[in-house]
Amino acid sequence: MQYIILFDLDGTLIDSTQAVYEGFCAAFRHFGAPIPTYKDVTQHIGHPLEYMFGALGVCEAEIPEYIVVYKEHYRKICNLKTTLLPSAKKAILEASKFAMLGVVTTKTGEYSKSLLEYLGIAKYFTCVIGRENVTNPKPNAEPILTALKYFPKTPNANIYMVGDTPLDIQAANNARIQSVGVLSGYASLEILQTYTQNIVKDALSAVRFIKAQYGIVD
């Protein structure tokens, strides 16, 4: 029997909150605009950059310029200011024993691959699908469907998306695969419950939840 688990990154496997916030501060500072608060930025993490800058008041025409400055700064600091969440590596190791793994994120795929290499876990993932790899990011089904092209054909009942925001759950629903929401990131239990009843503490709990669904034992 084949199984596939797709993981989100921010808030699911990694904590890059400080690096993301510093990148936004650098962009707003570069253009002489008021710097947003930490809370204002972090509440939108998980969305594409173009959405985040728009939500923070940048006019549509200027967003591409802000993103360029953000990425330039983020690229310099992302590795040193990103850590694996507690139990994330254990989750990946445990999942890799029974499933094929992938990453589906709204982060830039290039930076995501670099981060995974730096954190020593890149080898466990068959694919990393980032923002530049799709036209329509999560909650659209496209990122998940793009990722699945890298795997052998597998029944949708045996494919899970694990993520910390409604975007992850909605993308899974739109792709007609299974999902688990985790509370290690940026959405509250109350918000996640609007989209799924499969909600657990973190990525490791998610992997064990999935194993239980299929009766997989070590």
Side-chain angles (χ1 to χ4, degrees):
M1 188 72 72
Q2 292 180 159
Y3 304 98
I4 298 171
I5 303 177
L6 304 174
F7 290 95
D8 173 54
L9 277 183
D10 285 297
T12 302
L13 294 179
I14 66 171
D15 181 2
S16 62
T17 310
Q18 192 58 46
V20 171
Y21 181 62
E22 283 193 26
F24 273 86
C25 290
F28 278 86
R29 188 179 297 114
H30 178 84
F31 291 102
I35 295 175
T37 66
Y38 186 82
K39 180 180 179 180
D40 285 341
V41 173
T42 56
Q43 69 179 335
H44 297 298
I45 290 180
H47 288 84
L49 288 173
E50 55 265 38
Y51 173 93
M52 293 180 70
F53 277 109
L56 293 168
V58 179
C59 70
E60 186 174 353
E62 295 179 349
I63 288 175
E65 296 177 343
Y66 275 72
I67 290 177
V68 168
V69 177
Y70 168 90
K71 287 186 174 182
E72 182 179 352
H73 186 81
Y74 181 81
R75 177 177 53 81
K76 297 175 183 176
I77 65 171
C78 62
N79 285 354
L80 293 177
K81 298 207 171 183
T82 300
T83 59
L84 282 170
L85 287 168
S87 300
K89 187 165 186 178
K90 190 171 184 179
I92 294 163
L93 293 173
E94 192 164 317
S96 68
K97 293 178 181 178
F98 72 93
M100 297 170 285
L101 312 182
V103 166
V104 177
T105 177
T106 53
K107 295 175 83 69
T108 302
E110 177 188 355
Y111 300 156
S112 298
K113 291 176 183 177
S114 175
L115 271 173
L116 294 172
E117 290 283 357
Y118 178 78
L119 295 169
I121 54 175
K123 64 183 179 182
Y124 296 102
F125 298 102
T126 298
C127 67
V128 177
I129 302 303
R131 178 64 185 92
E132 76 272 36
N133 302 123
V134 298
T135 301
N136 304 294
K138 296 180 289 187
N140 195 282
E142 185 184 349
I144 289 176
L145 298 179
T146 300
L148 293 179
K149 293 177 182 178
Y150 290 84
F151 297 92
K153 188 170 178 60
T154 303
N156 284 14
N158 292 358
I159 306 171
Y160 269 86
M161 176 74 207
V162 177
D164 68 300
T165 72
L167 299 177
D168 302 306
I169 308 305
Q170 289 174 294
N173 293 342
N174 289 332
R176 292 178 167 77
I177 66 167
Q178 316 309 307
S179 64
V180 182
V182 294
L183 296 172
S184 52
Y186 302 100
S188 67
L189 173 63
E190 292 72 25
I191 291 174
L192 287 177
Q193 282 177 330
T194 305
Y195 300 91
T196 181
Q197 293 305 303
N198 299 338
I199 303 170
V200 296
K201 176 184 176 183
D202 55 20
L204 180 58
S205 300
V207 170
R208 291 177 176 173
F209 172 88
I210 294 167
K211 288 171 68 175
Q213 303 312 298
Y214 302 121
I216 297 171
V217 295
D218 295 328

